Structures are given as C-alpha cells and as structure tokens.
Coordinates of all heavy atoms in Angstrom, one line a residue:
L1 N 0.8 -1.2 0.0 CA 0.0 0.0 0.0 C 0.9 1.2 0.0 O 2.0 1.2 0.5 CB -0.9 0.0 1.2 CG -1.9 -1.2 1.4 CD1 -2.7 -1.0 2.7 CD2 -2.8 -1.3 0.2
L2 N 0.4 2.3 -0.6 CA 1.0 3.6 -0.6 C 0.1 4.6 0.1 O -1.1 4.6 -0.3 CB 1.3 4.0 -2.0 CG 1.9 5.4 -2.2 CD1 3.3 5.5 -1.7 CD2 1.8 5.9 -3.6
Y3 N 0.6 5.3 1.0 CA -0.2 6.3 1.7 C 0.4 7.7 1.4 O 1.6 7.9 1.3 CB -0.1 6.2 3.2 CG -0.6 4.8 3.7 CD1 0.3 3.8 3.9 CD2 -2.0 4.6 4.0 CE1 -0.2 2.6 4.4 CE2 -2.4 3.4 4.4 CZ -1.5 2.4 4.6 OH -2.0 1.2 5.0
A4 N -0.5 8.7 1.1 CA -0.1 10.0 0.8 C -1.1 11.0 1.5 O -2.3 10.8 1.5 CB -0.2 10.3 -0.7
I5 N -0.5 12.0 2.2 CA -1.3 13.0 2.9 C -1.2 14.4 2.2 O 0.0 14.7 1.9 CB -1.0 13.0 4.4 CG1 -1.9 13.9 5.2 CG2 0.4 13.5 4.6 CD1 -3.0 13.2 5.8
R6 N -2.3 15.1 2.1 CA -2.2 16.4 1.5 C -2.1 17.4 2.7 O -2.5 17.1 3.8 CB -3.4 16.7 0.7 CG -3.4 15.8 -0.6 CD -4.7 15.9 -1.4 NE -5.0 17.3 -1.7 CZ -6.0 17.7 -2.5 NH1 -6.7 16.7 -3.1 NH2 -6.3 18.9 -2.7
D7 N -1.6 18.6 2.4 CA -1.4 19.6 3.5 C -2.7 19.8 4.3 O -2.6 20.0 5.5 CB -0.9 20.9 2.9 CG 0.5 20.8 2.3 OD1 1.2 19.8 2.6 OD2 0.9 21.7 1.6
E8 N -3.8 19.9 3.6 CA -5.1 20.2 4.2 C -5.7 19.0 4.9 O -6.8 19.2 5.4 CB -6.0 20.9 3.2 CG -6.5 19.9 2.1 CD -5.6 19.8 0.9 OE1 -4.5 20.3 0.9 OE2 -6.1 19.3 -0.1
G9 N -5.0 17.9 5.0 CA -5.5 16.8 5.8 C -6.3 15.8 5.1 O -7.2 15.2 5.7
I10 N -6.0 15.5 3.9 CA -6.7 14.4 3.2 C -5.7 13.3 2.9 O -4.7 13.5 2.3 CB -7.3 14.9 1.8 CG1 -8.3 16.1 2.1 CG2 -8.0 13.8 1.1 CD1 -8.9 16.8 0.9
L11 N -6.0 12.2 3.5 CA -5.1 11.0 3.4 C -5.7 10.0 2.4 O -6.9 9.7 2.4 CB -5.1 10.3 4.8 CG -4.3 9.0 4.8 CD1 -2.8 9.2 4.6 CD2 -4.5 8.2 6.1
G12 N -4.8 9.6 1.5 CA -5.2 8.7 0.5 C -4.4 7.4 0.6 O -3.2 7.5 1.0
A13 N -5.0 6.2 0.4 CA -4.4 5.0 0.4 C -4.6 4.3 -0.9 O -5.7 4.3 -1.4 CB -4.9 4.1 1.6
Y14 N -3.5 3.8 -1.5 CA -3.5 3.3 -2.9 C -2.9 1.9 -2.9 O -2.0 1.6 -2.2 CB -2.7 4.2 -3.8 CG -3.2 5.6 -3.9 CD1 -2.7 6.5 -2.9 CD2 -4.1 6.0 -4.8 CE1 -3.2 7.8 -3.0 CE2 -4.6 7.3 -4.9 CZ -4.1 8.2 -3.9 OH -4.6 9.5 -4.0
D15 N -3.5 1.0 -3.7 CA -2.9 -0.3 -4.0 C -1.7 -0.1 -4.9 O -1.9 0.4 -6.0 CB -4.0 -1.2 -4.7 CG -3.5 -2.6 -4.9 OD1 -2.4 -2.7 -5.5 OD2 -4.2 -3.5 -4.5
L16 N -0.6 -0.4 -4.4 CA 0.7 -0.1 -5.1 C 0.7 -0.9 -6.4 O 1.3 -0.4 -7.4 CB 1.9 -0.4 -4.2 CG 3.2 0.2 -4.7 CD1 3.1 1.7 -4.9 CD2 4.2 -0.1 -3.6
K17 N 0.2 -2.1 -6.5 CA 0.3 -2.9 -7.7 C -0.6 -2.4 -8.8 O -0.2 -2.3 -9.9 CB -0.2 -4.3 -7.3 CG 0.2 -5.4 -8.3 CD -0.1 -6.8 -7.8 CE 0.7 -7.8 -8.5 NZ 0.5 -9.1 -8.0
T18 N -1.8 -1.9 -8.5 CA -2.8 -1.5 -9.5 C -3.0 0.0 -9.6 O -3.5 0.5 -10.6 CB -4.2 -2.1 -9.2 OG1 -4.7 -1.5 -8.0 CG2 -4.1 -3.6 -9.1
G19 N -2.5 0.7 -8.5 CA -2.7 2.2 -8.5 C -4.1 2.6 -8.1 O -4.5 3.7 -8.0
A20 N -5.0 1.6 -7.7 CA -6.4 1.9 -7.4 C -6.4 2.6 -6.0 O -5.7 2.2 -5.1 CB -7.2 0.6 -7.3
L21 N -7.3 3.6 -5.9 CA -7.6 4.3 -4.7 C -8.4 3.3 -3.8 O -9.4 2.9 -4.1 CB -8.3 5.6 -4.9 CG -8.8 6.3 -3.7 CD1 -7.5 6.9 -2.9 CD2 -9.7 7.5 -4.1
L22 N -7.9 3.1 -2.6 CA -8.6 2.3 -1.6 C -9.5 3.1 -0.7 O -10.6 2.7 -0.4 CB -7.6 1.5 -0.7 CG -6.7 0.6 -1.5 CD1 -5.6 0.0 -0.6 CD2 -7.5 -0.5 -2.2
Y23 N -9.0 4.3 -0.3 CA -9.8 5.2 0.5 C -9.2 6.6 0.4 O -8.0 6.7 0.2 CB -10.1 4.8 1.9 CG -8.8 4.7 2.8 CD1 -8.3 5.9 3.4 CD2 -8.3 3.5 3.1 CE1 -7.2 5.8 4.2 CE2 -7.2 3.4 4.0 CZ -6.7 4.6 4.5 OH -5.6 4.5 5.4
R24 N -10.0 7.6 0.7 CA -9.6 9.0 0.8 C -10.4 9.5 2.0 O -11.6 9.5 1.9 CB -9.9 9.7 -0.5 CG -9.4 11.2 -0.4 CD -9.5 11.9 -1.7 NE -8.6 11.4 -2.6 CZ -8.8 11.2 -3.9 NH1 -10.0 11.5 -4.4 NH2 -7.9 10.8 -4.7
E25 N -9.7 9.9 3.0 CA -10.4 10.3 4.3 C -9.8 11.6 4.8 O -8.6 11.9 4.6 CB -10.3 9.3 5.4 CG -11.0 8.0 5.0 CD -12.5 8.1 5.1 OE1 -13.0 9.0 5.8 OE2 -13.2 7.2 4.6
R26 N -10.6 12.4 5.5 CA -10.1 13.6 6.1 C -9.6 13.3 7.5 O -10.2 12.5 8.3 CB -11.2 14.7 6.2 CG -11.6 15.2 4.9 CD -12.6 16.4 5.0 NE -12.9 16.9 3.7 CZ -12.2 17.7 3.0 NH1 -11.1 18.2 3.5 NH2 -12.6 18.1 1.8
T27 N -8.4 14.0 7.9 CA -7.9 13.8 9.3 C -8.4 14.9 10.2 O -8.1 14.9 11.4 CB -6.4 13.8 9.3 OG1 -5.9 15.0 8.8 CG2 -5.8 12.6 8.4
N28 N -9.0 15.9 9.6 CA -9.5 17.1 10.4 C -8.4 17.9 11.0 O -8.6 18.5 12.1 CB -10.6 16.6 11.4 CG -11.8 16.0 10.8 OD1 -12.3 16.5 9.8 ND2 -12.2 14.9 11.4
T29 N -7.3 17.9 10.4 CA -6.2 18.8 10.8 C -5.3 19.0 9.6 O -5.5 18.4 8.5 CB -5.4 18.1 12.0 OG1 -4.4 19.0 12.4 CG2 -4.8 16.8 11.6
T30 N -4.3 19.8 9.7 CA -3.3 20.1 8.6 C -2.0 19.4 8.9 O -1.6 19.1 10.0 CB -3.1 21.6 8.4 OG1 -2.7 22.2 9.6 CG2 -4.4 22.3 8.0
H31 N -1.3 19.1 7.8 CA 0.0 18.3 7.9 C 1.0 18.9 7.0 O 0.8 19.3 5.9 CB -0.3 16.9 7.4 CG -1.3 16.2 8.2 ND1 -1.0 15.4 9.3 CD2 -2.7 16.1 8.0 CE1 -2.1 14.9 9.8 NE2 -3.1 15.3 9.0
S32 N 2.2 19.0 7.5 CA 3.4 19.4 6.8 C 4.3 18.1 6.6 O 5.1 18.0 5.7 CB 4.2 20.5 7.4 OG 3.5 21.7 7.4
A33 N 4.2 17.2 7.6 CA 5.1 16.0 7.7 C 4.5 14.9 6.8 O 3.3 14.8 6.6 CB 5.2 15.6 9.1
S34 N 5.3 14.0 6.4 CA 4.9 12.8 5.7 C 4.5 11.7 6.6 O 5.0 11.7 7.8 CB 6.1 12.3 4.8 OG 6.5 13.2 3.8
P35 N 3.6 10.8 6.2 CA 3.2 9.7 7.1 C 4.4 8.7 7.1 O 5.2 8.6 6.2 CB 2.0 9.1 6.4 CG 2.1 9.6 5.0 CD 2.8 10.8 5.0
V36 N 4.5 8.0 8.3 CA 5.5 6.9 8.4 C 4.8 5.7 9.0 O 3.7 5.9 9.7 CB 6.7 7.3 9.3 CG1 7.5 8.4 8.7 CG2 6.2 7.7 10.7
A37 N 5.3 4.5 8.7 CA 4.6 3.3 9.1 C 5.6 2.3 9.7 O 6.8 2.3 9.4 CB 3.9 2.6 7.9
S38 N 5.1 1.6 10.7 CA 5.9 0.6 11.4 C 5.0 -0.3 12.2 O 4.0 0.2 12.8 CB 6.9 1.2 12.3 OG 7.7 0.2 13.0
D39 N 5.3 -1.6 12.2 CA 4.6 -2.6 13.1 C 3.0 -2.5 12.9 O 2.3 -2.6 13.9 CB 5.0 -2.3 14.5 CG 4.7 -3.5 15.4 OD1 4.6 -4.6 14.9 OD2 4.5 -3.3 16.6
G40 N 2.6 -2.4 11.7 CA 1.1 -2.4 11.4 C 0.4 -1.1 11.7 O -0.8 -1.1 11.8
R41 N 1.2 -0.1 11.9 CA 0.5 1.2 12.3 C 1.1 2.3 11.3 O 2.2 2.3 10.9 CB 0.8 1.6 13.7 CG 0.1 0.7 14.7 CD 0.4 1.1 16.1 NE -0.4 0.3 17.0 CZ 0.0 -0.9 17.5 NH1 1.1 -1.4 17.1 NH2 -0.8 -1.6 18.3
L42 N 0.3 3.3 11.1 CA 0.6 4.5 10.3 C 0.6 5.7 11.2 O -0.4 5.9 12.0 CB -0.4 4.7 9.2 CG -0.1 5.8 8.1 CD1 1.2 5.4 7.3 CD2 -1.3 5.9 7.2
Y43 N 1.6 6.5 11.2 CA 1.7 7.7 12.1 C 1.7 8.9 11.3 O 2.5 9.1 10.4 CB 3.0 7.6 12.9 CG 3.1 6.4 13.8 CD1 3.7 5.2 13.3 CD2 2.6 6.3 15.1 CE1 3.8 4.1 14.1 CE2 2.7 5.2 15.9 CZ 3.3 4.1 15.4 OH 3.4 2.9 16.1
L44 N 0.8 9.9 11.7 CA 0.6 11.1 11.0 C 0.9 12.2 12.0 O 0.1 12.4 13.0 CB -0.8 11.3 10.4 CG -1.3 10.2 9.5 CD1 -2.8 10.4 9.2 CD2 -0.5 10.1 8.3
A45 N 1.9 13.1 11.8 CA 2.1 14.2 12.7 C 1.4 15.4 12.1 O 1.5 15.7 10.9 CB 3.6 14.5 12.7
A46 N 0.6 16.1 12.9 CA -0.2 17.2 12.5 C 0.3 18.5 13.0 O 0.9 18.6 14.1 CB -1.7 17.0 13.0
E47 N 0.2 19.5 12.2 CA 0.6 20.9 12.6 C 0.1 21.4 13.9 O 0.7 22.1 14.6 CB 0.3 21.9 11.4 CG 1.1 21.6 10.2 CD 0.8 22.5 9.0 OE1 0.0 23.5 9.2 OE2 1.3 22.3 8.0
G48 N -1.2 21.0 14.2 CA -1.8 21.4 15.4 C -1.3 20.7 16.7 O -1.7 21.0 17.8
G49 N -0.4 19.7 16.5 CA 0.2 19.1 17.7 C -0.2 17.6 18.0 O 0.3 17.0 18.9
E50 N -1.0 17.1 17.1 CA -1.5 15.7 17.3 C -0.6 14.7 16.5 O -0.2 15.0 15.4 CB -2.9 15.5 16.8 CG -4.0 15.9 17.7 CD -5.3 15.5 17.1 OE1 -5.6 15.7 16.0 OE2 -6.1 14.9 17.9
V51 N -0.4 13.5 17.1 CA 0.1 12.4 16.3 C -1.1 11.5 16.2 O -1.6 11.0 17.2 CB 1.3 11.7 17.0 CG1 1.7 10.5 16.2 CG2 2.5 12.6 17.1
I52 N -1.5 11.3 15.0 CA -2.7 10.4 14.7 C -2.1 9.0 14.4 O -1.2 8.9 13.5 CB -3.5 11.0 13.6 CG1 -4.0 12.4 13.9 CG2 -4.7 10.0 13.3 CD1 -4.6 13.1 12.7
V53 N -2.6 8.0 15.0 CA -2.2 6.6 14.8 C -3.3 5.9 14.1 O -4.4 5.8 14.6 CB -1.8 5.9 16.1 CG1 -1.2 4.5 15.8 CG2 -0.7 6.7 16.8
L54 N -3.0 5.3 12.9 CA -4.0 4.6 12.2 C -3.6 3.1 12.1 O -2.4 2.8 12.1 CB -4.1 5.1 10.7 CG -4.5 6.6 10.6 CD1 -4.4 6.9 9.1 CD2 -5.8 6.9 11.1
K55 N -4.5 2.2 11.9 CA -4.2 0.8 11.6 C -3.8 0.8 10.1 O -4.6 1.2 9.3 CB -5.4 -0.1 11.9 CG -5.1 -1.5 11.7 CD -6.3 -2.4 12.1 CE -6.0 -3.8 11.8 NZ -7.1 -4.7 12.1
A56 N -2.6 0.3 9.8 CA -2.2 0.1 8.4 C -3.1 -0.9 7.8 O -3.4 -2.0 8.4 CB -0.8 -0.3 8.4
G57 N -3.6 -0.6 6.6 CA -4.4 -1.6 5.9 C -5.3 -0.9 4.8 O -5.1 0.3 4.6
R58 N -6.2 -1.7 4.3 CA -7.0 -1.3 3.2 C -8.2 -0.5 3.6 O -9.0 0.0 2.8 CB -7.4 -2.5 2.4 CG -6.2 -3.2 1.9 CD -6.5 -4.5 1.1 NE -7.0 -4.2 -0.2 CZ -6.2 -4.0 -1.3 NH1 -4.9 -4.0 -1.1 NH2 -6.7 -3.8 -2.5
A59 N -8.4 -0.3 4.9 CA -9.6 0.5 5.4 C -9.0 1.6 6.4 O -8.0 1.4 7.0 CB -10.6 -0.4 6.1
F60 N -9.7 2.7 6.5 CA -9.3 3.8 7.4 C -9.8 3.5 8.8 O -11.0 3.4 9.0 CB -10.0 5.1 6.8 CG -9.6 6.3 7.6 CD1 -8.4 6.9 7.4 CD2 -10.5 6.9 8.5 CE1 -8.0 8.1 8.1 CE2 -10.2 8.1 9.2 CZ -8.9 8.6 9.0
E61 N -8.9 3.3 9.7 CA -9.2 3.0 11.1 C -8.3 3.8 12.0 O -7.1 3.5 12.1 CB -9.1 1.5 11.4 CG -9.5 1.2 12.8 CD -9.4 -0.3 13.1 OE1 -9.4 -1.1 12.1 OE2 -9.4 -0.7 14.3
V62 N -8.8 4.8 12.7 CA -8.1 5.5 13.7 C -7.9 4.8 15.0 O -8.9 4.4 15.6 CB -8.7 6.9 14.0 CG1 -7.9 7.7 15.0 CG2 -8.8 7.7 12.7
L63 N -6.7 4.5 15.4 CA -6.4 3.8 16.7 C -6.3 4.8 17.8 O -6.8 4.5 18.9 CB -5.2 3.0 16.6 CG -5.2 1.9 15.5 CD1 -3.8 1.2 15.5 CD2 -6.3 0.9 15.9
S64 N -5.7 6.0 17.6 CA -5.6 7.0 18.7 C -5.2 8.3 18.1 O -4.7 8.4 17.0 CB -4.6 6.6 19.7 OG -3.3 6.5 19.2
R65 N -5.5 9.4 18.9 CA -5.0 10.7 18.6 C -4.3 11.2 19.9 O -4.9 11.2 20.9 CB -6.2 11.6 18.3 CG -6.9 11.3 16.9 CD -8.1 12.3 16.7 NE -8.6 12.1 15.4 CZ -8.2 12.9 14.4 NH1 -7.4 13.9 14.5 NH2 -8.7 12.7 13.2
N66 N -3.1 11.6 19.7 CA -2.2 11.9 20.9 C -1.8 13.4 20.8 O -1.0 13.7 19.9 CB -1.0 11.0 20.9 CG -1.4 9.5 20.9 OD1 -1.9 9.0 21.9 ND2 -1.4 8.9 19.8
D67 N -2.2 14.2 21.7 CA -1.9 15.6 21.7 C -0.5 15.8 22.3 O -0.3 15.5 23.5 CB -2.9 16.4 22.5 CG -2.6 17.9 22.4 OD1 -1.7 18.4 21.7 OD2 -3.4 18.7 23.0
M68 N 0.5 16.3 21.5 CA 1.8 16.5 22.0 C 2.0 17.9 22.6 O 3.1 18.1 23.2 CB 2.8 16.3 20.9 CG 2.7 14.9 20.2 SD 2.8 13.5 21.3 CE 4.5 13.6 21.8
G69 N 1.1 18.7 22.6 CA 1.1 20.0 23.2 C 1.9 21.1 22.5 O 2.1 22.2 23.1
E70 N 2.3 20.8 21.3 CA 3.1 21.9 20.5 C 3.0 21.5 19.1 O 2.7 20.3 18.7 CB 4.5 21.9 21.0 CG 5.3 20.7 20.8 CD 6.7 20.8 21.4 OE1 7.5 21.7 21.0 OE2 7.0 20.0 22.3
P71 N 3.2 22.5 18.2 CA 3.1 22.2 16.7 C 4.1 21.2 16.3 O 5.2 21.1 16.8 CB 3.4 23.6 16.1 CG 3.1 24.6 17.1 CD 3.4 23.9 18.4
L72 N 3.7 20.3 15.3 CA 4.5 19.3 14.8 C 4.6 19.6 13.3 O 3.6 19.5 12.6 CB 4.0 17.9 15.0 CG 3.7 17.5 16.5 CD1 3.0 16.2 16.5 CD2 4.9 17.5 17.3
M73 N 5.8 19.9 12.8 CA 6.0 20.2 11.4 C 6.9 19.2 10.7 O 7.0 19.1 9.5 CB 6.7 21.6 11.2 CG 5.9 22.7 11.9 SD 4.2 22.9 11.2 CE 4.7 23.8 9.7
A74 N 7.7 18.4 11.5 CA 8.6 17.4 10.9 C 8.1 16.0 10.8 O 7.3 15.6 11.7 CB 9.9 17.4 11.7
T75 N 8.5 15.3 9.9 CA 8.2 13.8 9.7 C 8.8 13.1 10.9 O 10.0 13.2 11.1 CB 8.7 13.3 8.4 OG1 8.1 14.1 7.3 CG2 8.4 11.8 8.2
P76 N 8.0 12.3 11.6 CA 8.6 11.4 12.6 C 9.6 10.4 12.0 O 9.5 10.1 10.9 CB 7.4 10.7 13.2 CG 6.2 11.5 12.8 CD 6.5 12.1 11.5
A77 N 10.5 10.0 12.9 CA 11.5 9.0 12.5 C 11.3 7.7 13.4 O 10.9 7.8 14.5 CB 12.9 9.5 12.6
I78 N 11.6 6.6 12.8 CA 11.5 5.3 13.5 C 12.8 4.6 13.5 O 13.4 4.4 12.4 CB 10.4 4.4 13.0 CG1 9.0 5.2 13.0 CG2 10.3 3.1 13.7 CD1 7.9 4.5 12.3
S79 N 13.3 4.2 14.6 CA 14.6 3.5 14.7 C 14.6 2.5 15.9 O 14.3 3.0 17.0 CB 15.8 4.4 14.8 OG 17.0 3.7 14.9
A80 N 14.9 1.3 15.7 CA 15.1 0.3 16.8 C 13.9 0.3 17.7 O 14.0 0.2 18.9 CB 16.4 0.6 17.6
G81 N 12.7 0.3 17.1 CA 11.4 0.2 17.9 C 11.0 1.5 18.6 O 10.1 1.4 19.4
T82 N 11.7 2.6 18.3 CA 11.4 3.9 18.9 C 10.9 4.8 17.9 O 11.5 5.0 16.8 CB 12.6 4.4 19.7 OG1 13.0 3.5 20.7 CG2 12.3 5.7 20.4
L83 N 9.8 5.6 18.2 CA 9.2 6.6 17.4 C 9.8 7.9 17.9 O 9.6 8.3 19.1 CB 7.7 6.6 17.4 CG 7.0 7.7 16.6 CD1 7.2 7.5 15.1 CD2 5.5 7.6 17.0
F84 N 10.5 8.7 17.0 CA 11.0 10.0 17.4 C 10.1 11.1 16.8 O 9.9 11.1 15.6 CB 12.5 10.2 17.0 CG 13.4 9.2 17.6 CD1 13.7 8.0 17.1 CD2 14.0 9.5 18.9 CE1 14.5 7.1 17.7 CE2 14.8 8.6 19.5 CZ 15.1 7.4 18.9
I85 N 9.6 12.0 17.6 CA 8.8 13.1 17.2 C 9.4 14.4 17.6 O 9.7 14.6 18.7 CB 7.4 12.9 17.8 CG1 6.8 11.6 17.5 CG2 6.4 14.1 17.4 CD1 5.7 11.2 18.4
R86 N 9.6 15.3 16.6 CA 10.2 16.6 16.9 C 9.1 17.6 16.8 O 8.4 17.8 15.8 CB 11.2 17.0 15.8 CG 11.9 18.3 16.2 CD 13.1 18.6 15.3 NE 12.7 18.8 13.9 CZ 12.3 19.9 13.3 NH1 12.1 21.0 14.0 NH2 12.0 19.9 12.0
G87 N 8.9 18.3 18.0 CA 7.9 19.4 18.1 C 8.6 20.7 17.9 O 9.8 20.8 17.6
A88 N 7.9 21.8 18.2 CA 8.5 23.1 18.1 C 9.6 23.4 19.1 O 10.5 24.1 18.8 CB 7.4 24.2 18.2
G89 N 9.5 22.7 20.3 CA 10.5 22.9 21.3 C 11.1 21.7 21.9 O 12.0 21.8 22.8
H90 N 10.6 20.5 21.5 CA 11.1 19.3 22.2 C 11.2 18.2 21.2 O 10.6 18.2 20.1 CB 10.1 18.8 23.2 CG 9.8 19.8 24.3 ND1 8.9 20.8 24.2 CD2 10.4 20.0 25.5 CE1 8.9 21.5 25.3 NE2 9.8 21.0 26.1
V91 N 12.0 17.2 21.5 CA 12.1 15.9 20.8 C 11.6 14.8 21.7 O 12.0 14.7 22.8 CB 13.5 15.6 20.3 CG1 13.5 14.2 19.6 CG2 14.0 16.7 19.3
Y92 N 10.6 14.0 21.2 CA 10.0 13.0 22.0 C 10.5 11.6 21.5 O 10.6 11.5 20.3 CB 8.5 13.0 22.0 CG 7.9 14.3 22.4 CD1 7.7 15.4 21.5 CD2 7.6 14.6 23.8 CE1 7.2 16.6 21.9 CE2 7.1 15.8 24.2 CZ 6.9 16.8 23.3 OH 6.4 18.0 23.7
A93 N 10.7 10.7 22.4 CA 11.1 9.3 22.0 C 10.0 8.4 22.6 O 9.9 8.4 23.8 CB 12.5 8.9 22.5
V94 N 9.3 7.7 21.8 CA 8.2 6.9 22.3 C 8.5 5.4 21.9 O 8.7 5.1 20.7 CB 6.8 7.3 21.6 CG1 5.7 6.5 22.1 CG2 6.6 8.8 21.8
S95 N 8.4 4.6 22.9 CA 8.7 3.2 22.6 C 7.9 2.3 23.6 O 7.4 2.8 24.6 CB 10.2 2.8 22.7 OG 10.6 3.0 24.1
R96 N 7.8 1.1 23.3 CA 7.1 0.1 24.1 C 8.0 -0.3 25.2 O 9.2 -0.5 25.0 CB 6.7 -1.1 23.3 CG 5.9 -2.2 24.1 CD 5.5 -3.3 23.2 NE 4.5 -2.8 22.2 CZ 4.3 -3.3 21.1 NH1 5.0 -4.4 20.7 NH2 3.4 -2.8 20.3
T97 N 7.5 -0.3 26.4 CA 8.3 -0.8 27.6 C 7.8 -2.2 27.9 O 6.7 -2.6 27.7 CB 8.2 0.1 28.8 OG1 6.8 0.2 29.2 CG2 8.7 1.5 28.5
T98 N 8.7 -3.0 28.5 CA 8.4 -4.3 28.9 C 8.7 -4.4 30.4 O 9.6 -3.8 30.9 CB 9.2 -5.4 28.2 OG1 10.6 -5.2 28.4 CG2 8.9 -5.3 26.7
S99 N 7.9 -5.2 31.1 CA 8.1 -5.5 32.5 C 9.1 -6.5 32.7 O 9.2 -7.5 32.0 CB 6.8 -5.9 33.1 OG 7.0 -6.3 34.5
S100 N 10.0 -6.3 33.6 CA 11.1 -7.3 33.9 C 10.6 -8.4 34.8 O 11.3 -9.3 35.1 CB 12.3 -6.6 34.5 OG 11.9 -6.0 35.8
G101 N 9.4 -8.2 35.3 CA 8.8 -9.2 36.2 C 9.1 -9.0 37.7 O 8.8 -9.8 38.5
S102 N 9.8 -8.0 38.0 CA 10.2 -7.7 39.4 C 9.3 -6.6 40.0 O 8.7 -5.9 39.3 CB 11.6 -7.4 39.6 OG 12.1 -6.4 38.7

C-alpha cells in the first residue's frame, strides 16, 4: 500500500500494484510532515500538535489521537522500535516498555 497525505489533511491509500484508490479520508487537521509506518501502524504528525495513529491496511481506522502540546512540522522517524517526534521545542522518543517481572 502507498499512503499520501495532503497539506489540508486528506489521506489517500492506494494499492501499489494496481494504482487503485482504496480510500480517501479527512484527518480534520493540517499536515506538513509525511506519514510513516511501522509494526502495522501508520503515524501522522499534525501541525496542530497531534500524532494520529491509524491501523495500516485497506480501510481507514483511527487507533488513537495523541496531543503532544506543541506544533509538529517534521516527519517522525523510527529506529530500533522507537518513534521519534520533533515538536516546536522538544524531541520525544516513544517506545514500548516491557516489564522485567520484578
């Protein structure tokens, strides 16, 4: 699948093999950053400060909207299981934690 977001918040998903449009949905926010995907999720950084998390796939499904408290203009980066988000004044590192059992 290929995902593309327009500045005014219209996300399109396309079948890469055929070029067919699978869906076109509004995110209700504006975007300067490109979408990134990892582990079955699509991450959209919004200028208004939200990180929108979608389920990757052929249907539009919002999993969460996370307010970072400051404008987000840069594309998030993913490395070694960590999502890096750069805001106007901070850099956030988000990753899954595991319990050591103690």
Side-chain angles (χ1 to χ4, degrees):
L1 301 179
L2 173 72
Y3 300 95
I5 187 94
R6 294 174 49 172
D7 293 349
E8 67 274 13
I10 300 172
L11 176 70
Y14 301 87
D15 182 305
L16 197 53
K17 194 175 205 176
T18 66
L21 175 67
L22 301 172
Y23 66 78
R24 182 175 290 140
E25 296 286 342
R26 292 189 179 276
T27 63
N28 298 319
T29 187
T30 55
H31 301 269
S32 291
S34 297
V36 294
S38 178
D39 199 25
R41 292 179 176 86
L42 186 67
Y43 300 92
L44 307 172
E47 293 177 2
E50 279 187 311
V51 175
I52 303 167
V53 183
L54 305 175
K55 182 176 180 182
R58 303 176 77 81
F60 183 77
E61 182 180 341
V62 177
L63 298 175
S64 67
R65 290 178 171 267
N66 306 283
D67 186 3
M68 304 306 290
E70 60 185 301
L72 305 174
M73 305 296 283
T75 299
I78 300 170
S79 178
T82 301
L83 176 68
F84 295 92
I85 303 161
R86 183 173 63 84
H90 300 88
V91 175
Y92 303 92
V94 181
S95 64
R96 180 177 295 154
T97 59
T98 59
S99 174
S100 63
S102 51

